[in-house]
Amino acid sequence: MTADVTQAAASFDSLRPTLIRVAYRMLGSVADAEDIVQDAFIRWMQVERDKVRVPEAFLRRMVMRLCLDELKSARHQRETYIGPWLPDPIVEENEEEDVTLPLMLALERLSPLERAAFLLHDVFGLEFDEVASTLRREPAACRQLAARARSHVRESRPRFHIDKQRGLEIAQAFFAASRSGDASALGAMLAADVSLHADGGGKRPAIVKPALGFEQVMKVHAGLARLFQKSGSTFVRAGFINGLPGFVTRESDGELQTTALEIEDGKIAAIYVMRNPDKLRHLH
């Protein structure tokens, strides 16, 4: 291996985590993001690198364009997805994610170009000239794309900031109440318009459409509590899942599961449960 190739590989590897983060935010899939970035690496090793002035900007453009191509096929797959679709869970120790799970779900409803323009400008802070270069559109068109996206996702921005430790305490209290069947303790944590979303992907049992409102969510958890008392559910760790307080458990079938809680004004406004084993492999 020549010194040039070694240096090129090393420079790419230093940017790999950032590029995977870009691809994940576009696609919502860890495996797909890793594949996109590996494809970008292969292409990087083949380009005339001495003509690239800013490798990070060059590679970000490459990754974003590959993601746009991927979304064309991914959208067809999502149309036939069994039950609610949720992004792969990213579990972190600290509340560092600026693109939270509700925001990712809102981005999913945008066109690929709107999504890219919003992420590049509003999240990564790029000027519209660079956004335009990436998307191969005029700056004015990219400004319009980002504005349209912003109007759609505005409601998905967190309206209430919750203290990190308080969020984790609510998550652990929710685990205890939901597994023990303590309906009184569970009900006291839920907002009146709470919703429950579970992604099993057709691979594990899960509700096929969201449970909406206090009564529906309590009814679902009453049934789950009976199952938990028979088969158990083991707490693995607490953490922030796509920017929301939550926890990881190991269920009776031996598979992992994540639960993320959207908390507003001290109450749980939404519960997001990931059960699809294909989306949990990276946690192992």
Side-chain angles (χ1 to χ4, degrees), residues 1 28 112 214 260:
M1 186 179 291
F214 183 88

Side-chain angles (χ1 to χ4, degrees), residues 89 101-102 171 174 195-197 239-247 258-263 268 270-274:
L101 198 157
F174 176 83
S195 60
L196 169 62
H197 314 256
F240 289 90
I241 300 169
N242 298 96
L244 301 181
F247 50 86
T258 61
T259 301
L261 305 175
E262 186 178 357
I263 300 171
I268 297 171
I271 305 160
Y272 301 96
V273 180
M274 176 55 69

Side-chain angles (χ1 to χ4, degrees), residues 210-228:
L212 305 176
F214 183 88
E215 289 185 6
Q216 278 196 34
V217 172
M218 287 295 291
K219 183 177 180 180
V220 170
H221 275 97
L224 290 174
R226 289 191 289 271
L227 292 175
F228 291 139

Side-chain angles (χ1 to χ4, degrees), residues 70-125:
E70 175 65 20
L71 278 177
K72 293 174 185 176
S73 60
R75 284 192 173 265
H76 173 70
Q77 294 169 10
R78 305 258 170 95
E79 289 171 2
T80 58
Y81 196 81
I82 299 174
W85 179 93
L86 297 176
D88 293 10
I90 301 296
V91 184
E92 298 175 311
E93 294 291 336
N94 297 304
E95 186 186 5
E96 297 175 347
E97 187 56 65
D98 53 0
V99 180
T100 62
L101 198 157
L103 180 53
M104 288 196 73
L105 291 175
L107 292 176
E108 186 67 15
R109 296 191 288 271
L110 304 178
S111 74
L113 285 174
E114 287 172 340
R115 185 171 187 159
F118 176 84
L119 287 172
L120 289 171
H121 181 266
D122 288 46
V123 175
F124 295 114

Side-chain angles (χ1 to χ4, degrees), residues 106-257:
L107 292 176
E108 186 67 15
R109 296 191 288 271
L110 304 178
S111 74
L113 285 174
E114 287 172 340
R115 185 171 187 159
F118 176 84
L119 287 172
L120 289 171
H121 181 266
D122 288 46
V123 175
F124 295 114
L126 302 187
E127 297 295 332
F128 278 115
D129 285 344
E130 187 169 349
V131 176
S133 174
T134 301
L135 302 185
R136 298 189 174 112
R137 296 289 191 282
E138 291 297 319
C142 292
R143 194 173 282 107
Q144 276 191 323
L145 287 167
R148 275 205 304 269
R150 207 173 296 124
S151 68
H152 285 300
V153 304
R154 189 173 289 120
E155 290 302 312
S156 301
R157 295 287 196 179
R159 289 174 289 173
F160 301 93
H161 176 74
I162 183 167
D163 175 75
K164 168 187 169 182
Q165 190 56 42
R166 179 57 182 152
L168 294 178
E169 288 171 359
I170 291 175
Q172 295 194 45
F174 176 83
F175 169 81
S178 62
R179 269 53 180 182
S180 68
D182 187 341
S184 177
L186 181 65
M189 291 185 239
L190 304 182
D193 58 350
V194 64
S195 60
L196 169 62
H197 314 256
D199 182 339
K203 307 291 180 69
R204 293 169 74 196
I207 54 175
V208 294
K209 60 182 181 179
L212 305 176
F214 183 88
E215 289 185 6
Q216 278 196 34
V217 172
M218 287 295 291
K219 183 177 180 180
V220 170
H221 275 97
L224 290 174
R226 289 191 289 271
L227 292 175
F228 291 139
Q229 288 171 0
K230 289 179 182 178
S231 54
S233 174
T234 305
F235 188 90
V236 175
R237 60 176 286 207
F240 289 90
I241 300 169
N242 298 96
L244 301 181
F247 50 86
V248 182
T249 53
R250 189 172 297 280
E251 300 304 315
S252 60
D253 58 2
E255 296 282 355
L256 292 178
Q257 175 175 303

